[in-house]
Amino acid sequence: QDGALKLIDEALKHSPTLVDLYHVKGRILKHAGALETAADVLEEGRTLDLADKWINSKSAKFQLRAGRIKKGEDIVALFTKHEGDSRGYLMDMQCMWFEIEAGMAYMRQDDLGMALKFFKSVEKHFDDFEQDQLDFHTYCLRKFTMRSYVGMLRLIERVRGDRFFAAAAHGAVLCYLRIHDEKALFGPNQDDAEPDLASMTAAERKRAKAKARKAEQKRKKEEEEKAAAAAKQQEEKKDKPVKRWRDLPEDDDPTGTKLFETLREDPLKHASEIVRAVVKFAPNNLQTHIDAFEVAVRRGKLLQALRALYAAVQLEKDHDGIEHPDIFSRLIPFLHFVQNGAITYAPWAGMSTSKEDKNKQVTKPLTVSPVAKEVIDTIAAEIGVSGAPLDLGKAYYAKFAADHSSGDAAKRVAACKAQLLLVPSDAAPFKDVAALPSGARFEAFDFVRTFLLEHGAPADVSAAFEAKLQAAFPRAVPSQSSAKEE
């Protein structure tokens, strides 16, 4: 990274007005872990040519990935005819790359309401595509342009297989899974639940009823105030009409709160609806089947979960097969739980409520009918699982994690994750996953750091790994996953 930066600085010294060089330097800094510095460099390059839409979009994307959402929106708004509502204009113009990047940025900042708002906006675009094609049926038949008509029909059949739809669906599923796994932070407000009056004393019932009356009065008052404010705003608009591009409708949920309140009641139901669509139209996308497994296993649909992993293995059969990190880290623990008749991973068991207790040791009995067990064993043998899952996990761990010379960070993390699910009391995976070779790329270091954070690694292991990362990449910020908007 030092050599690359030295060369690009020499190039910038020779040609300081060449915009492409700023993009190259930004990418170098991104791979060094300095996302904020990279965003600053792209912004410097953007100011050299304010009429260049390409560098404008690149600068906006880097700002979003650095966690500066407001600044990213302001930059991309420079090329919009928004007249006060740049976000509405971008959504109306179906600018899906921006919506996906913004959704992921909000998700990294734990604002799942806004993240889902952007992901659902992308889904709406594809609904519009299907609705718009209805206008062409009579036109094509009347003009007798049958070749174009057949082409349009075939396009509509596969339009939801587009990479933007798959990316938005993946982001939405991640949001729903977080709502399910971290109920204490994102789940329905328990204070709004009906109190159990039967189990209370007379004095407690009196206090509970008084509290409920006050809450109801407060809610009605807030609704009246909101209605009055909305009416006043409408009157002001009548007095001072504002010209809006294409007369965009007002966004009645600018913060995504209403959408979030609607969707968080049953997150797995909404996630399964998305997964069903993306599996149908994007079956060649590996991430599609991984998401399908994660949703199905949380819903207790064991055969659906295995079907998703079977489809994933079929896509990878000419490559890693079941040794693919995303497949192995799920398939082997899943088969182990089925074999033992109990799930010990809290999110899969539906027993996690926060990030802290996602890795607590739990035991949820798993009842599998003889017929289902036979089907699972048959499919497991068909995809190449031979032997006890526990033994396969140990062999994979010895090959990719215990052997510190292995440079495949994805398989190292997969081996350690599978080992933690198979043997929850084993602390060795944390030390082995952190033993990355010093020459590994920053992406590998960041991947391992995310694993240590998500799985509750011991403080001394996390601190030692962070020191190792900072020594290898001194420009990297302490934690990319917790970047907050300035």
Side-chain angles (χ1 to χ4, degrees):
Q1 55 178 315
D2 292 334
L5 286 172
K6 183 179 179 181
L7 287 174
I8 197 65
D9 285 338
E10 290 178 0
L12 283 169
K13 186 177 180 181
H14 177 270
S15 305
T17 59
L18 185 57
V19 173
D20 291 350
L21 295 179
Y22 291 89
H23 179 234
V24 173
K25 184 175 182 179
R27 293 188 63 188
I28 294 171
L29 289 168
K30 181 191 73 171
H31 289 295
L35 291 183
E36 294 183 356
T37 308
D40 293 337
V41 170
L42 263 291
E43 178 61 8
E44 183 182 354
R46 184 191 69 82
T47 59
L48 296 176
D49 189 353
L50 299 178
D52 190 332
K53 293 183 179 180
W54 174 80
I55 193 66
N56 175 279
S57 62
K58 288 295 181 183
S59 179
K61 183 180 288 188
F62 271 65
Q63 297 293 341
L64 292 171
R65 292 184 177 179
R68 302 169 178 174
I69 301 175
K70 181 64 169 62
K71 191 170 184 179
E73 287 186 353
D74 292 341
I75 291 174
V76 78
L78 295 174
F79 281 92
T80 62
K81 303 174 183 179
H82 58 87
E83 298 185 20
D85 187 8
S86 60
R87 184 178 295 172
Y89 175 88
L90 290 167
M91 289 182 174
D92 192 71
M93 291 298 293
Q94 301 172 342
C95 187
M96 289 186 279
W97 73 263
F98 170 79
E99 291 170 326
I100 292 172
E101 289 290 344
M104 298 301 289
Y106 276 113
M107 185 169 63
R108 287 191 291 269
Q109 296 185 1
D110 293 340
D111 190 347
L112 300 190
M114 284 302 298
L116 285 169
K117 182 181 177 69
F118 279 101
F119 294 140
K120 295 291 285 185
S121 177
V122 175
E123 183 181 350
K124 183 180 179 299
H125 297 333
F126 286 87
D127 293 337
D128 293 340
F129 296 159
E130 292 182 347
Q131 290 295 323
D132 292 343
Q133 57 96 16
L134 296 176
D135 298 333
F136 291 91
H137 287 295
T138 55
Y139 174 83
C140 291
L141 292 173
R142 187 172 69 249
K143 296 294 185 180
F144 219 76
T145 54
M146 299 308 294
R147 181 180 297 178
S148 299
Y149 181 56
V150 172
M152 182 200 70
L153 293 177
R154 289 174 177 169
L155 172 64
I156 292 300
E157 286 179 353
R158 62 177 186 272
V159 68
R160 289 184 186 267
D162 185 82
R163 61 188 178 93
F164 285 118
F165 182 80
H170 174 59
V173 169
L174 290 181
C175 289
Y176 290 129
L177 294 181
R178 285 198 61 188
I179 295 171
H180 174 267
D181 295 347
E182 301 172 29
K183 302 178 184 68
L185 181 60
F186 300 116
N189 191 353
Q190 298 300 318
D191 294 336
D192 296 336
E194 289 290 333
D196 185 8
L197 299 178
S199 62
M200 297 181 181
T201 63
E204 289 174 340
R205 281 197 296 270
K206 185 177 180 180
R207 285 195 295 270
K209 290 179 180 179
K211 182 179 178 182
R213 280 195 303 271
K214 289 181 180 179
E216 181 66 16
Q217 292 171 359
K218 182 180 178 181
R219 185 184 64 80
K220 288 183 178 179
K221 184 178 179 181
E222 289 177 351
E223 288 181 353
E224 290 173 357
E225 290 176 350
K226 287 181 180 178
K232 183 179 179 181
Q233 190 176 14
Q234 289 295 331
E235 289 296 328
E236 291 176 351
K237 285 182 181 178
K238 290 179 181 178
D239 297 336
K240 291 184 177 181
V242 180
K243 183 181 178 182
R244 298 172 60 80
W245 189 85
R246 287 192 185 177
D247 295 325
L248 293 176
E250 277 293 328
D251 187 355
D252 62 347
D253 188 21
T255 61
T257 305
K258 293 180 181 179
L259 177 66
F260 183 66
E261 291 294 333
T262 303
L263 297 177
R264 72 175 180 174
E265 294 296 333
D266 193 354
L268 292 184
K269 175 186 175 183
H270 298 298
S272 62
E273 291 172 354
I274 295 176
V275 163
R276 196 177 302 118
V278 77
V279 165
K280 179 179 179 181
F281 294 104
N284 295 325
N285 188 331
L286 178 65
Q287 189 61 57
T288 293
H289 302 294
I290 298 301
D291 290 342
F293 168 81
E294 293 289 352
V295 174
V297 75
R298 284 167 172 79
R299 297 178 65 215
K301 307 293 185 181
L302 302 184
L303 294 181
Q304 289 183 17
L306 187 59
R307 181 176 63 184
L309 291 179
Y310 177 82
V313 172
Q314 296 306 307
L315 290 178
E316 288 292 321
K317 64 181 179 181
D318 294 332
H319 304 285
D320 288 333
I322 64 170
E323 286 196 351
H324 188 282
D326 288 337
I327 298 173
F328 189 91
S329 60
R330 292 167 174 83
L331 175 62
I332 299 305
F334 171 78
L335 295 176
H336 177 69
F337 294 156
V338 171
Q339 187 181 78
N340 284 11
I343 297 178
T344 58
Y345 183 45
W348 290 4
M351 300 171 68
S352 64
T353 60
S354 64
K355 286 183 179 180
E356 289 70 25
D357 67 3
K358 284 173 68 174
N359 305 293
K360 66 182 179 181
Q361 295 189 26
V362 300
T363 301
K364 180 181 179 181
L366 189 63
T367 303
V368 185
S369 68
V371 175
K373 182 69 166 58
E374 183 180 355
V375 171
I376 291 173
D377 291 341
T378 302
I379 294 177
E382 183 178 339
I383 60 179
V385 178
S386 57
L390 191 60
D391 295 336
L392 293 173
K394 288 180 180 178
Y396 193 85
Y397 181 82
K399 181 178 180 180
F400 294 107
D403 181 6
H404 294 176
S405 63
S406 173
D408 193 328
K411 290 184 177 179
R412 180 188 295 269
V413 168
C416 293
K417 181 178 179 179
Q419 186 67 10
L420 286 175
L421 268 59
L422 294 169
V423 189
S425 59
D426 191 359
F430 291 119
K431 294 181 180 179
D432 287 329
V433 77
L436 274 178
S438 57
R441 298 177 62 182
F442 171 76
E443 288 78 7
F445 274 92
D446 196 41
F447 193 36
V448 171
R449 177 168 59 181
T450 301
F451 170 83
L452 295 175
L453 181 67
E454 290 181 350
H455 290 270
D460 58 333
V461 175
S462 296
F465 181 78
E466 190 66 30
K468 181 178 179 181
L469 187 153
Q470 293 298 324
F473 298 93
R475 298 176 183 84
V477 296
S479 178
Q480 299 292 347
S481 59
S482 61
K484 298 295 180 182
E485 185 176 3
E486 297 180 349

